[in-house]
Amino acid sequence: MEKNRSLLILKDEINSIDIRTNPERIRYSLYSIYVNLLLSHELFSKNEDIKELCEQLKFPLKDYIFKSRTLLVARFMRKIEKISDSETIILFFKTAQNLINANEPSKKVNSKENKYNFIDKYGKS
């Protein structure tokens, strides 16, 4: 259940950002989004799984960095801080948005839970 909450919160945060706004505003939001994404063991069960994300972002890292999540987070924060063009900021934003939307909780599970909650609350359906 915790995975669903954190994904929903991240999805809400991403959806509240308009890419037409000031790139600096997007940059500040990217800090919190990527910290939560990178530290999520539900999205990335192994540190090696983050390599694919790095490839999508055109952000190559050496193999020793993937041994520590905190080191990965630090490198991502430094990269986000040093992004100088708005195209790269939007690439980071869109990649995070796609990652979160791809891992959205299944609607079927929620509807099944809602059915059982309805039965418990109101009796037979």
Side-chain angles (χ1 to χ4, degrees):
M1 196 63 147
E2 186 63 34
K3 174 186 173 188
N4 294 344
R5 278 193 202 143
S6 63
L7 277 177
L8 289 174
I9 291 169
L10 282 173
K11 187 173 181 181
D12 287 344
E13 187 171 346
I14 284 241
N15 288 336
S16 70
I17 299 170
D18 184 8
I19 59 172
R20 295 174 293 183
T21 61
N22 184 351
E24 287 304 310
R25 225 178 255 279
I26 297 171
R27 180 191 319 269
Y28 290 124
S29 297
L30 286 177
Y31 289 128
S32 63
I33 290 168
Y34 272 94
V35 166
N36 286 307
L37 285 177
L38 293 170
L39 292 178
S40 172
H41 284 282
E42 289 84 18
L43 293 175
F44 302 107
S45 59
K46 300 176 187 173
N47 293 1
E48 296 291 320
D49 297 339
I50 299 173
K51 281 186 179 181
E52 184 179 331
L53 175 65
C54 292
E55 290 171 8
Q56 291 174 357
L57 295 170
K58 300 173 187 150
F59 180 41
L61 295 171
K62 297 192 177 187
D63 286 338
Y64 76 91
I65 295 172
F66 292 96
K67 297 202 186 289
S68 166
R69 286 218 186 204
T70 53
L71 187 54
L72 279 164
V73 169
R75 293 294 166 101
F76 266 83
M77 295 305 103
R78 186 179 301 151
K79 175 68 174 177
I80 292 170
E81 178 186 0
K82 293 186 180 208
I83 296 174
S84 59
D85 59 288
S86 61
E87 292 172 6
T88 309
I89 289 175
I90 292 181
L91 172 67
F92 270 69
F93 173 76
K94 292 279 187 184
T95 304
Q97 187 176 38
N98 292 338
L99 182 64
I100 291 169
N101 288 335
N103 289 297
E104 185 177 0
S106 172
K107 304 261 189 252
K108 291 180 182 177
V109 173
N110 291 338
S111 65
K112 190 174 186 179
E113 288 175 4
N114 289 340
K115 179 181 177 185
Y116 291 125
N117 289 340
F118 180 82
I119 291 171
D120 291 342
K121 189 173 184 179
Y122 298 108
K124 289 186 178 180
S125 59

